[in-house]
Amino acid sequence: MLEYKNNFLFIDEVSVLNISTGIDTPFYLYSKNKLLKNYAEINNSFKKANHIICYAVKANENPYLLRILAKNGCGCDIVSIGELNLALKAGINPKKIVFAGVGKQENEIRAAIKSDILMFNIESIPELYSIDRIAKLLNKTARIAFRVNPDIDAKTHPHITTGLSHNKFGLTFKEAYEGYLLAKGLKNIEIVGIHTHIGSQITDSASFVLASKKVAGYISKLKAAGINLKYIDMGGGLGIRYKDEKVINPSDYADAILKYLPKNHTIILEPGRFLVAETGVLITKVIYVKKTLKKKFLVVDAGMNDLVRPAIYGAYHEIIPVKWKNGKQHNWDIVGPICESSDVFAKDRLMPLASEGDYLAILCAGAYGYSMSSNYNMRPRPAEIIIENNKWRIIRKREIL
Ligand SMILES: *Cc1c(COP(=O)(O)O)cnc(C)c1O
C-alpha cells in the first residue's frame, strides 16, 4: 500500500503530502484496500472449516472501519458495553458477537443478553452465576463458553501474553471443567463453546499448534462427560511484521489452528492486530530539530497520547519521511512533546536529513494506536482519515478540547 513516487510517499495512489498540508497533524491514515485485503486473506485461509471471524474491536474501534468489516460479514469480539453498542450500530450481526473480559458488569451482561449475542466467553465461576441470574431476570437463555488458559508461553512481550497460568485471564482446564459441570445444572445457561486466547503479536506457529492440541484433547474429555460444544473460539494473536520479525502467513496460521481440532465444529477467530495494524499509519510533523552535544532529536507533534505502544511496550515502529531526501542519512531520536521521558518513538534511527515542517509517517499504527490514545497533557485525540477509491476523507474529526 506504501510506495515512493519521485521521492513522495503515496498510499493507494494518494500523495500523503497532499493530505498532510490540508489538515492539522498528527492524524491517523488508513487504507480501505489494505483492510479488505487482510480480512479476505484470513477469511480465505479458514475456508476449509466452518468459521466466523470476530474482529477484536479493541484493536481499533473506528466506526467507519467497523462498518466496512460488517458489510463484509465480519463479526466482533467485544469487551465492554461501549464496544457492544458500537458494533451493533456499525451493523455487526449480533449472532457473530462474542463477549470476553474478566470484569463484565451487570449492565453489560444485561445489554448483551438482550441483544442476543452469540456467546459470553466466561472468565470465572462468579461470572457464570451472574450471567445465569441476569438471564433468569430477563427470562432468557444465555449462550456461554468458558475461556480456558492453556498455560502456553507464546514467547511474546510479558505485557501482552495471556495464556500463562499466572495471568488474570480465563480458567485452568480443571477449573473450567468444574464450570462446565456447574453450568449444565443452570436453567438459563446454554453451553455452546470453548474459548482460548494465548496472547498477542505471536510469530511462532508452534504456540498455535500446541493450543490446538490442548484444546482438542480437552474437548474429548468434555464430550466423555456429556458436554458437547458447537463453537471452538481460538482467539486472536496473529503477529505482524513491525521490523524484521518472521511472521506466520495466514494460511500456515489456519493449518496450525486447525491441526488437531475436531471437525463438525464452528471455529471462531478473533484477529485484532492482523486486520488493522498495517492498515494504518500515523502522520506527524517535525516541530523542532534539536541538536545537543550527544544527540540529534526530531521533536514531532505526535506524542505518546496518540500512540502509546513505544512508551509502554518498548514497541518498534518504522518511521519514514513523507518526502524522501537523497544524500547522507543521520541518526535521529524521534520524540514527542509530552512531559515524560518515555515519550520517544525511536532512538538512533537512521533517516535522511530532516528539517522543521517535514512530515513523517509512523508505520503499522492501525492497531492499538487510536484505540489506546488519551488526552494526557490535555491534548486532543488526532483525526482519522481513510483512503478509499483513491480519495481521502475524514472519518473522525480531530477532537476539540
Ligand atoms: C486482544 C484480544 C484479541 C485480539 O488480539 P490480537 O493480538 O490483536 O489479534 C482477541 N481476543 C481476545 C480475548 C483479546 O483479549
Side-chain angles (χ1 to χ4, degrees):
M1 86 185 213
L2 295 162
E3 64 174 330
Y4 281 105
K5 289 187 200 172
N6 294 325
N7 288 343
F8 288 96
L9 182 66
F10 278 71
I11 295 181
D12 298 343
E13 311 292 321
V14 178
S15 158
V16 177
L17 188 67
N18 281 353
I19 306 174
S20 308
T21 49
I23 178 176
D24 284 337
T25 48
F27 60 87
Y28 279 97
L29 180 57
Y30 304 115
S31 156
K32 180 179 178 181
N33 284 348
K34 182 66 176 161
L35 178 63
L36 289 175
K37 184 165 169 276
N38 290 346
Y39 177 69
E41 233 181 331
I42 196 153
N43 207 13
N44 291 338
S45 65
F46 280 92
K47 258 206 313 245
K48 52 200 141 200
N50 267 332
H51 72 277
I52 307 174
I53 306 288
C54 292
Y55 166 63
V57 177
K58 72 173 193 278
N60 186 323
E61 84 294 357
N62 182 285
Y64 197 85
L65 301 184
L66 285 179
R67 272 205 295 281
I68 293 172
L69 290 171
K71 274 194 198 124
N72 285 275
C74 191
C76 277
D77 163 41
I78 58 157
V79 293
S80 69
I81 188 172
E83 289 189 355
L84 173 67
N85 291 337
L86 264 182
L88 293 173
K89 216 171 143 192
I92 301 281
N93 180 351
K95 284 281 158 56
K96 292 184 178 178
I97 294 180
V98 294
F99 190 174
V102 294
K104 301 180 191 79
Q105 297 179 52
E106 183 146 350
N107 63 326
E108 301 183 304
I109 294 170
R110 204 182 313 123
I113 293 175
K114 280 188 176 166
S115 311
D116 206 19
I117 64 162
L118 176 60
M119 66 184 187
F120 289 88
N121 291 331
I122 293 184
E123 309 224 14
S124 68
I125 303 299
E127 183 190 331
L128 169 68
Y129 286 122
S130 207
I131 293 173
D132 179 55
R133 182 175 53 77
I134 295 162
K136 193 169 176 180
L137 287 173
L138 296 171
N139 209 6
K140 294 251 168 110
T141 307
R143 285 175 293 273
I144 64 112
F146 283 97
R147 176 172 181 171
V148 293
N149 186 336
D151 199 15
I152 291 171
D153 182 2
K155 299 183 189 70
T156 176
H157 190 281
H159 289 179
I160 51 175
T161 183
T162 53
L164 282 167
S165 54
H166 62 253
N167 290 126
K168 69 175 177 180
F169 299 103
L171 299 163
T172 64
F173 282 127
K174 196 159 164 282
E175 288 159 351
Y177 190 77
E178 298 294 311
Y180 278 110
L181 295 181
L182 288 171
K184 249 178 114 175
L186 298 177
K187 276 219 192 84
N188 297 80
I189 293 288
E190 184 190 355
I191 300 169
V192 294
I194 184 166
H195 174 232
T196 192
H197 170 69
I198 58 173
S200 200
Q201 182 53 17
I202 296 168
T203 53
D204 168 30
S205 65
S207 302
F208 289 120
V209 173
L210 188 57
S212 168
K213 193 171 183 177
K214 286 192 171 192
V215 168
Y218 189 67
I219 289 170
S220 339
K221 205 179 143 194
L222 290 175
K223 204 170 171 188
I227 295 161
N228 292 300
L229 309 178
K230 178 152 191 245
Y231 301 101
I232 307 175
D233 182 344
M234 294 300 285
L238 182 57
I240 66 124
R241 182 175 293 121
Y242 284 99
K243 189 181 183 187
D244 49 11
E245 298 92 336
K246 248 191 97 194
V247 293
I248 312 165
N249 73 51
S251 129
D252 292 342
Y253 170 63
D255 289 345
I257 289 281
L258 298 174
K259 181 151 186 184
Y260 291 101
L261 297 185
K263 310 281 183 276
N264 311 323
H265 289 72
T266 297
I267 313 299
I268 297 174
L269 291 315
E270 305 172 338
R273 191 186 310 271
F274 177 81
L275 286 180
V276 290
E278 290 176 89
T279 296
V281 301
L282 176 62
I283 304 297
T284 183
K285 188 161 74 177
V286 175
I287 313 172
Y288 296 114
V289 178
K290 174 174 172 176
K291 293 178 182 161
T292 65
L293 280 178
K294 290 202 171 134
K295 286 274 185 188
K296 284 205 276 260
F297 294 99
L298 294 179
V299 184
V300 299
D301 62 2
M304 64 189 279
N305 73 298
D306 303 301
L307 176 67
V308 79
R309 299 187 67 257
I312 62 174
Y313 303 134
Y316 180 98
H317 282 268
E318 200 168 319
I319 302 177
I320 61 175
V322 166
K323 180 178 189 296
W324 184 265
K325 292 176 191 165
N326 293 322
K328 185 175 175 305
Q329 301 209 28
H330 302 258
N331 274 306
W332 299 103
D333 278 17
I334 301 167
V335 303
I338 286 177
C339 308
E340 293 284 340
S341 309
S342 57
D343 187 27
V344 174
F345 290 113
K347 278 194 167 145
D348 288 320
R349 199 62 76 75
L350 209 55
M351 277 217 319
L353 190 66
S355 40
E356 287 170 21
D358 284 358
Y359 296 99
L360 306 177
I362 305 179
L363 308 189
C364 301
Y368 307 106
Y370 191 97
S371 66
M372 291 180 99
S373 66
S374 75
N375 293 127
Y376 188 41
N377 278 203
M378 224 16 222
R379 287 164 49 85
R381 287 186 178 78
E384 290 177 292
I385 291 175
I386 198 164
I387 296 176
E388 58 182 335
N389 307 323
N390 297 338
K391 289 198 186 71
W392 65 277
R393 56 187 288 202
I394 297 174
I395 53 174
R396 178 150 46 191
K397 284 188 189 145
R398 177 186 178 79
E399 255 180 345
I400 297 171
L401 293 183

